[in-house]
């Protein structure tokens, strides 16, 4: 089973930037989605975006609230997925989790990198992001 460890959270002022990292160890499935979720107290985890690590190429997906501001990338050699967050807003604050699906094939974004957190079988411990206005 893959194990995920996030890092890079912290406090920043609105308009600033942060980069989160998600490093995987153990059995790392190809053709799976590595997604970033955000959670605030009292709400369910919300998918911020994800990267489908396909054997025929990677595909990235983003939630509407972060499009144009956040970028997901990966470094294969380091088994690490990054979440680059720019132009941060107070509403971006929360605990950010990295998660992975089991291998998936075919289908569109909703299948490859689901919005539903129940579709992900392994999670990191989370890292806190606080954006002050």
């Amino acid at each position: 089973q893959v194990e995920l460890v996030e890092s890079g959270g912290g406090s920043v002022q609105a308009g600033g930037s942060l980069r989160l990292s998600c490093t995987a160890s153990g059995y790392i499935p190809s053709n799976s989605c590595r997604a970033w979720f955000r959670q605030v107290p009292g709400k369910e985890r919300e998918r911020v975006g994800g990267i489908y690590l396909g054997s025929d190429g990677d595909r990235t997906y983003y939630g509407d609230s972060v499009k144009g501001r956040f970028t997901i990338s990966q470094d294969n050699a380091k088994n690490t997925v990054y979440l680059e967050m720019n132009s941060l807003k107070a509403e971006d604050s929360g605990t950010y989790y990295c998660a992975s699906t089991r291998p998936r094939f075919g289908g569109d974004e909703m299948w490859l990198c689901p919005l539903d957190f129940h579709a992900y079988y392994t999670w990191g411990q989370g890292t806190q992001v606080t954006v002050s206005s």
Side-chain angles (χ1 to χ4, degrees), residues 37-56:
F37 283 78
R38 174 173 64 210
Q39 187 170 29
V40 296
K43 291 192 175 182
E44 287 193 341
R45 296 181 184 187
E46 170 195 12
R47 198 207 72 177
V48 171
I51 182 166
Y52 178 73
L53 304 171
S55 55
D56 60 348

Side-chain angles (χ1 to χ4, degrees), residues 2 4 22-24 27-36 50-61 72-82 98-105 112-113 120:
V2 63
L4 304 174
C22 172
T23 300
Y27 169 66
I28 301 167
S30 57
N31 299 297
S32 62
C33 179
R34 194 81 54 79
W36 288 96
I51 182 166
Y52 178 73
L53 304 171
S55 55
D56 60 348
D58 299 337
R59 278 161 267 186
T60 53
Y61 306 104
I72 297 173
S73 61
Q74 65 100 358
D75 184 332
N76 226 6
K78 296 181 179 180
N79 293 326
T80 299
V81 168
Y82 302 98
C98 175
S100 179
T101 64
R102 298 186 190 279
R104 293 177 166 232
F105 302 90
L112 295 177
C113 284
Y120 295 79

Side-chain angles (χ1 to χ4, degrees), residues 64-116:
D64 288 340
S65 64
V66 305
K67 277 180 184 174
R69 300 189 298 121
F70 290 12
T71 304
I72 297 173
S73 61
Q74 65 100 358
D75 184 332
N76 226 6
K78 296 181 179 180
N79 293 326
T80 299
V81 168
Y82 302 98
L83 177 65
E84 185 79 36
M85 305 186 291
N86 298 312
S87 302
L88 282 161
K89 306 175 181 179
E91 52 263 41
D92 293 321
S93 298
T95 303
Y96 282 71
Y97 296 89
C98 175
S100 179
T101 64
R102 298 186 190 279
R104 293 177 166 232
F105 302 90
D108 61 9
E109 174 184 355
M110 294 299 109
W111 168 249
L112 295 177
C113 284
L115 300 179
D116 185 353

